[in-house]
Amino acid sequence: MTTQAAAVAPEGLPGALGRLRAAISAADYPLSLTSAAEARKVGAALLDQLDDYLLPRLARLDAPLLVVVGGSTGAGKSTLVNSLVQARVSAPGVLRPTTRAPVLVCNPSDSVWFRQGDLLPGLTRTTQPSDDPHTLQLVAAPALTPGLAFLDAPDIDSVVDQNRQLAAQLLAAADLWLFVTTAARYADAVPWGLLRTAQLRGTVIALVLDRVPPEAGDEVTAHLAEMLEANDLAEAPLFVLPETDVDGQGLLPHRDTAELRAWFGRLASDANARAAVVRRTLDGAVAALRPAADGLAAAADEQAAAARALRDRVRLAYRGAAETVERSLKDGRLLRGEVLNRWHEFVGTGDFFRGLEARVGRLRDRITAAVTGRPQPGNRLKSAIESQLTTLLRGVAADAAENAYTGWQAHPAGAALLEPSLARPTPDLAERADRLVRDWQRGVLELVRQEGSDKRFVARTAAYAVNATGLAVMIAVFASTAFIPTGLEIGTAAGTTLAAQKVLEAIFGDQAIRRLAAKARQDLLDRVDVLLADEAARYFDRIEAVGVDADPAGELRAAAQEVERARSAAALTSGVKLALPERGSGAAQ
């Protein structure tokens, strides 16, 4: 592969990565689920890698090779970087953590690329030492071969969270990761977790085993080699540096670092070898995007599923309230108490109901006299109906609010969205329930006018006939099925049902009354549905407010598939063999 070929960005891959970046950025995980925190963390890391490394590296495949030097606290990373470039460019020290802001060292001829900020754009460039982790100190080292740069990263196991996060971010931007550990700490868990991550991403890795006592060299090196093989890292070059003292400039003895410096020198001078490292790491990093994006999509699916579950719990609570209202209309319970008494006043005495069956033949005349003659106490009956219905609506709305609240409280995502006011109906529920009943009663009267518009009865009896008949319709709605009361209510309740029906049949006929009562009943239920839907909307608004309605899972999967297709078409490693420079015979492997 030629240097010219290495400089050409694969067609289509940058665009696909840009679309994946947009999908990751748009994905949100606002509900409190176990997977949400990890998804946010992974999403942020993917955005960092896209911005810090993948997109700028694809734009300039021929840019200098970036070697990120990472490792555990006190492993001697800064001292090693200084020794490799033969200058004190990164300040080591005995206080931990030492490296706070990263230091990038390159040949002066390569400074332009790193100064432009395409790579690691979130870090402000500076030429002065800094403790600000948001800065990147650029240092020119004439002794360093052009085409190669070292970045001294913070400790991967730093006690400072921000340092650890920055170290992981920098390692994800590496073309090659030079992992530095010591004979005392090479088996620590934290670095091996990052090594496995780098290996899964396809990052090219080299290792330095530092501060190895002469008497333990063979044993420690052999054990580390076994660990590398067990983690599919057996091909990673391993350099062993003995335990020694630094010179007056804080540099390791020249003889101890000679092989490592020579190895990097050969890598820097071989354009094809550098290009192979870049393409190998780049291809591995792109390949790792799809499973990571699939994981984000799965987390987004969980968010959507949780939102559906929360909505279902609210719907169940308020559907139960609507069903309670419907059952109350069917089983006659609304005819108890005040409504029953006022109906008696309106139509006649209790004797009227007890003798009803014997006087059915005289019913039409009795009804006609009732609705066309003297005024009846209809206002009291109307008020009793209104009060009974309003009480019912307030009760079912309160129960529904409590049930929905309890349902959300039992769900981790729902509990985080709750506020105390949701456990109760809205403050204006009572007013809206009153208005609903009054509007329904007016609607019943309008139904009576429409149904009787072609009948001489309505024309003759005017407003009172409509009002009286409307009240009978309301009673019929309340007593739509058999009601089995107890005690003294037995005779009167049964009589109430039959009387209301006979009143209406006398006016409209058998078929018309069924149609009229059904319309009035459905109109009431429809109005109740609207009222309860308005109450339930408070819960739905909580879900919508955190943005769960947008479901990014499909977009994430589609974008990840597009990236994979573009990666295959780009064939970054096609015809490229990763042939790292040969090591000398003086170092253990």
Side-chain angles (χ1 to χ4, degrees):
M1 182 182 67
T2 65
T3 304
Q4 182 179 5
V8 178
E11 184 178 355
L13 187 52
L17 289 174
R19 284 183 283 277
L20 177 60
R21 190 202 181 287
I24 294 172
S25 182
D28 197 8
Y29 311 90
L31 295 181
S32 296
L33 299 174
T34 304
S35 60
E38 181 64 18
R40 286 191 287 268
K41 180 180 176 181
V42 171
L46 291 180
L47 290 177
D48 284 340
Q49 190 176 34
L50 284 162
D51 292 341
D52 294 345
Y53 179 67
L54 289 173
L55 291 171
R57 175 49 88 183
L58 274 172
R60 279 290 305 276
L61 290 174
D62 62 338
L65 186 74
L66 181 61
V67 179
V68 176
V69 183
S72 304
T73 301
K77 300 182 299 298
S78 298
T79 299
L80 179 61
V81 170
N82 293 339
S83 301
L84 290 174
V85 301
Q86 292 295 288
R88 192 180 175 86
V89 294
S90 186
V94 295
L95 296 177
R96 304 297 173 199
T98 298
T99 303
R100 292 180 175 86
V103 178
L104 190 148
V105 190
C106 63
N107 185 275
S109 63
D110 292 331
S111 295
V112 175
W113 160 248
F114 295 108
R115 191 167 57 245
Q116 286 174 342
D118 292 336
L119 192 76
L120 296 166
L123 300 180
T124 302
R125 271 49 174 176
T126 180
T127 57
Q128 301 299 320
S130 174
D131 287 338
D132 185 354
H134 299 100
T135 62
L136 177 63
Q137 182 188 354
L138 300 180
V139 180
L144 188 58
T145 306
L148 185 72
F150 290 103
L151 195 158
D152 185 10
D155 301 329
I156 60 175
D157 57 355
S158 172
V159 294
V160 180
D161 288 344
Q162 195 171 35
N163 282 0
R164 292 199 307 274
Q165 294 168 6
L166 179 58
Q169 179 182 350
L170 297 176
L171 290 171
D175 293 313
L176 187 152
W177 181 18
L178 181 62
F179 172 62
V180 183
T181 188
T182 65
R185 306 201 53 186
Y186 69 90
D188 288 357
V190 172
W192 280 99
L194 287 174
L195 280 169
R196 281 189 286 271
T197 298
Q199 191 269 338
L200 289 172
R201 287 177 177 168
T203 305
V204 178
I205 300 170
L207 296 96
V208 172
L209 182 60
D210 196 9
R211 300 174 185 168
V212 179
E215 66 276 9
D218 292 342
E219 180 182 353
V220 171
T221 303
H223 186 215
L224 177 55
E226 290 177 2
M227 294 182 70
L228 290 171
E229 184 172 3
N231 287 275
D232 296 325
L233 291 167
E235 295 182 0
L238 172 61
F239 298 88
V240 180
L241 302 182
E243 190 175 42
T244 187
D245 295 324
V246 296
D247 63 18
Q249 290 185 305
L251 307 181
L252 296 170
H254 190 276
R255 65 179 182 278
D256 292 342
T257 60
E259 183 185 15
L260 185 57
R261 285 187 290 107
W263 187 81
F264 275 118
R266 291 191 296 273
L267 179 61
S269 61
D270 186 342
N272 285 338
R274 292 200 314 273
V277 170
V278 168
R279 285 179 169 261
R280 166 76 173 272
T281 296
L282 191 58
D283 184 70
V286 174
L289 291 175
R290 181 168 183 177
D294 286 344
L296 295 182
D301 284 338
E302 288 188 34
Q303 292 278 316
R308 286 194 298 272
L310 294 178
R311 290 190 180 97
D312 287 345
R313 293 184 184 200
V314 174
R315 292 189 185 102
L316 181 63
Y318 283 92
R319 185 166 60 245
E323 290 171 352
T324 297
V325 172
E326 187 170 6
R327 284 195 302 271
S328 299
L329 297 180
K330 289 181 177 180
D331 62 16
R333 75 181 70 176
L334 293 175
L335 289 175
R336 297 176 186 269
E338 185 72 9
V339 172
L340 192 62
N341 293 334
R342 297 309 176 191
W343 170 250
H344 293 172
E345 290 179 1
F346 180 65
V347 175
T349 66
D351 291 337
F352 167 79
F353 292 99
R354 285 192 293 272
L356 182 64
E357 291 185 5
R359 299 196 298 273
V360 167
R362 301 190 300 275
L363 180 61
R364 184 178 300 274
D365 295 337
R366 179 73 177 271
I367 296 303
T368 301
V371 298
T372 61
R374 64 188 185 282
Q376 298 293 324
N379 288 339
R380 289 194 293 271
L381 175 58
K382 181 173 179 291
S383 296
I385 292 173
E386 182 178 335
S387 176
Q388 192 83 312
L389 268 178
T390 301
T391 300
L392 173 65
L393 295 180
R394 290 178 182 178
V396 297
D399 290 343
E402 184 178 353
N403 291 337
Y405 191 93
T406 302
W408 274 29
Q409 208 168 33
H411 194 293
L417 295 177
L418 286 175
E419 59 180 25
S421 64
L422 291 173
R424 302 180 298 275
T426 55
D428 64 342
L429 182 277
E431 178 184 345
R432 289 188 292 120
D434 289 342
R435 187 166 58 248
L436 181 154
V437 175
R438 290 194 298 269
D439 289 346
W440 173 70
Q441 288 176 326
R442 284 192 290 269
V444 171
L445 299 183
E446 183 59 31
L447 277 175
V448 171
R449 290 189 185 95
Q450 293 173 0
E451 188 68 29
S453 61
D454 60 344
K455 297 182 182 296
R456 288 181 302 164
F457 168 78
V458 174
R460 288 197 308 269
T461 56
Y464 180 73
V466 172
N467 291 339
T469 307
L471 290 172
V473 171
M474 296 174 202
I475 292 298
V477 169
F478 280 15
S480 59
T481 60
F483 170 55
I484 307 176
T486 60
L488 297 176
E489 292 181 331
I490 292 178
T492 55
T496 298
T497 304
L498 182 59
Q501 180 176 342
K502 293 302 181 181
V503 166
L504 296 171
E505 287 179 0
I507 300 170
F508 296 104
D510 186 28
Q511 294 300 320
I513 172 51
R514 289 188 176 90
R515 184 169 62 253
L516 190 63
K519 286 182 179 180
R521 186 180 306 111
Q522 189 58 52
D523 180 45
L524 177 57
L525 293 175
D526 289 344
R527 293 174 188 271
V528 170
D529 286 343
V530 172
L531 177 74
L532 295 177
D534 289 343
E535 289 290 291
R538 301 174 299 155
Y539 282 90
F540 299 144
D541 289 345
R542 301 290 292 180
I543 299 175
E544 293 171 4
V546 296
V548 185
D549 278 347
D551 181 10
E555 182 62 28
L556 281 167
R557 291 190 175 96
Q561 290 172 359
E562 183 181 356
V563 166
E564 184 59 27
R565 288 192 295 268
R567 169 180 167 264
S568 299
L572 287 166
T573 59
S574 178
V576 175
K577 182 178 181 181
L578 182 63
L580 293 174
E582 293 292 330
R583 293 181 45 218
S585 58
Q589 177 155 258

